[in-house]
Amino acid sequence: MKKYLLLLLLISANLYAFPIPKDGKASFDVIRKNKVIGSHEITFAENNDVLLVKTNIVVEVKVLFISAYTFAHQSTETWINGDFTKIVAHSDFEDEREYFIKGQDNNDSFLASGMDGKLELDKNILPSNFWNIDVLKQKEIFDTQKGVVRTIDVEDLGYEEIKVNKENIKCNKFIFNASSNPKDKSPFPEYTLWYDENDELMKFQFKDEGRGKKIITIIRSN
């Protein structure tokens, strides 16, 4: 009986390709020009075979105490038995661009809607949540901020030691590029991502093309 219980626990522990933090939360600081300008938080809630992954991003840049740039994004992914089955998301950009994104499994496809209207996608498509290192192995991903499909290109740069919360952590470093959409205001930015030995996302950064190409760094704060 103990052997069967142990086997069940091992199967449950490896149900999802991505790691789930012990406290069910991964928090990041959003940094520009050495100042924290926002937060990026991912929470995980399990109930039997269902996992809800919620992302909340809030960014605000102030100039002389006046808000000069804002961005907000919220999404809820539903995973069942390790499979991505549903998403509801909302993105609010500073220039009155606002997107309501939905997607759900439907027989042999994934039906979604967003910036490009209604889409019928591959049933196995993954959402663009960098927490899941498996997105780097895909040919295409579903952009959860705009509700479009992007083809991707990833380069593995090997290992690099970085400092997170005053601790040196050995990480696997990647360069991530994705295709642009005709409706994008600017080219899709190139991302650099760092994952620790447990495949947990420790840090990522990109150039903010719309704000003078300033480097935006998102780094673990918990």
Side-chain angles (χ1 to χ4, degrees), residues 1-49:
M1 183 65 180
K2 290 183 178 179
K3 290 183 179 179
Y4 288 117
L5 180 59
L6 178 59
L7 179 60
L8 182 62
L9 289 173
L10 288 174
I11 292 173
S12 177
N14 293 282
L15 187 60
Y16 302 101
F18 47 84
I20 298 176
K22 292 180 180 179
D23 62 355
K25 181 173 67 174
S27 298
F28 299 80
D29 287 331
V30 181
I31 301 169
R32 178 179 181 267
K33 298 173 67 175
N34 296 319
K35 293 182 179 180
V36 175
I37 60 170
S39 62
H40 181 131
E41 184 176 271
I42 308 170
T43 58
F44 305 81
E46 291 184 276
N47 184 9
N48 297 322
D49 297 330

Side-chain angles (χ1 to χ4, degrees), residues 10-121:
L10 288 174
I11 292 173
S12 177
N14 293 282
L15 187 60
Y16 302 101
F18 47 84
I20 298 176
K22 292 180 180 179
D23 62 355
K25 181 173 67 174
S27 298
F28 299 80
D29 287 331
V30 181
I31 301 169
R32 178 179 181 267
K33 298 173 67 175
N34 296 319
K35 293 182 179 180
V36 175
I37 60 170
S39 62
H40 181 131
E41 184 176 271
I42 308 170
T43 58
F44 305 81
E46 291 184 276
N47 184 9
N48 297 322
D49 297 330
V50 179
L51 173 70
L52 298 181
V53 181
K54 296 186 178 183
T55 300
N56 185 45
I57 305 171
V58 178
V59 174
E60 183 178 20
V61 177
K62 291 186 177 182
V63 178
L64 298 178
F65 305 104
I66 298 174
S67 180
Y69 173 83
T70 59
F71 171 75
H73 170 79
Q74 296 83 36
S75 67
T76 300
E77 305 165 22
T78 301
W79 295 72
I80 300 177
N81 291 320
D83 294 325
F84 171 57
T85 62
K86 182 180 179 181
I87 187 168
V88 177
H90 172 242
S91 299
D92 190 359
F93 291 80
E94 51 126 3
D95 54 3
E96 297 185 356
R97 287 177 299 156
E98 189 173 12
Y99 304 110
F100 295 89
I101 297 100
K102 292 184 178 180
Q104 187 164 359
D105 270 354
N106 182 54
N107 297 323
D108 296 326
S109 63
F110 188 81
L111 301 181
S113 62
M115 185 171 69
D116 276 350
K118 294 182 179 180
L119 302 170
E120 184 172 357
L121 311 176

Side-chain angles (χ1 to χ4, degrees), residues 27-222:
S27 298
F28 299 80
D29 287 331
V30 181
I31 301 169
R32 178 179 181 267
K33 298 173 67 175
N34 296 319
K35 293 182 179 180
V36 175
I37 60 170
S39 62
H40 181 131
E41 184 176 271
I42 308 170
T43 58
F44 305 81
E46 291 184 276
N47 184 9
N48 297 322
D49 297 330
V50 179
L51 173 70
L52 298 181
V53 181
K54 296 186 178 183
T55 300
N56 185 45
I57 305 171
V58 178
V59 174
E60 183 178 20
V61 177
K62 291 186 177 182
V63 178
L64 298 178
F65 305 104
I66 298 174
S67 180
Y69 173 83
T70 59
F71 171 75
H73 170 79
Q74 296 83 36
S75 67
T76 300
E77 305 165 22
T78 301
W79 295 72
I80 300 177
N81 291 320
D83 294 325
F84 171 57
T85 62
K86 182 180 179 181
I87 187 168
V88 177
H90 172 242
S91 299
D92 190 359
F93 291 80
E94 51 126 3
D95 54 3
E96 297 185 356
R97 287 177 299 156
E98 189 173 12
Y99 304 110
F100 295 89
I101 297 100
K102 292 184 178 180
Q104 187 164 359
D105 270 354
N106 182 54
N107 297 323
D108 296 326
S109 63
F110 188 81
L111 301 181
S113 62
M115 185 171 69
D116 276 350
K118 294 182 179 180
L119 302 170
E120 184 172 357
L121 311 176
D122 189 299
K123 184 179 179 68
N124 297 313
I125 198 159
L126 293 181
S128 60
N129 189 334
F130 289 136
W131 179 262
N132 180 7
I133 195 172
D134 269 6
V135 301
L136 306 186
K137 304 173 186 176
Q138 310 305 304
K139 293 181 179 179
E140 294 182 331
I141 59 172
F142 182 65
D143 183 340
T144 61
Q145 292 189 7
K146 294 183 178 179
V148 298
V149 175
R150 300 188 189 274
T151 58
I152 68 171
D153 180 69
V154 178
E155 182 181 0
D156 187 340
L157 299 184
Y159 288 93
E160 179 178 278
E161 194 172 87
I162 64 172
K163 189 177 290 293
V164 179
N165 295 326
K166 299 181 180 180
E167 180 182 355
N168 292 325
I169 299 177
K170 183 180 180 182
C171 291
N172 200 175
K173 182 179 181 181
F174 298 90
I175 296 293
F176 176 97
N177 282 287
S179 60
S180 293
N181 183 287
K183 295 180 183 177
D184 287 334
K185 188 176 179 180
S186 57
F188 192 88
E190 179 179 270
Y191 282 82
T192 306
L193 307 107
W194 290 263
Y195 294 84
D196 72 3
E197 293 178 333
N198 297 317
D199 290 338
E200 288 198 26
L201 182 63
M202 291 287 110
K203 174 183 175 182
F204 58 107
Q205 67 181 27
F206 63 95
K207 286 185 179 180
D208 183 4
E209 298 289 342
R211 311 298 302 177
K213 296 187 177 181
K214 298 296 183 182
I215 298 294
I216 303 296
T217 300
I218 301 92
I219 190 165
R220 280 290 288 273
S221 58
N222 75 326

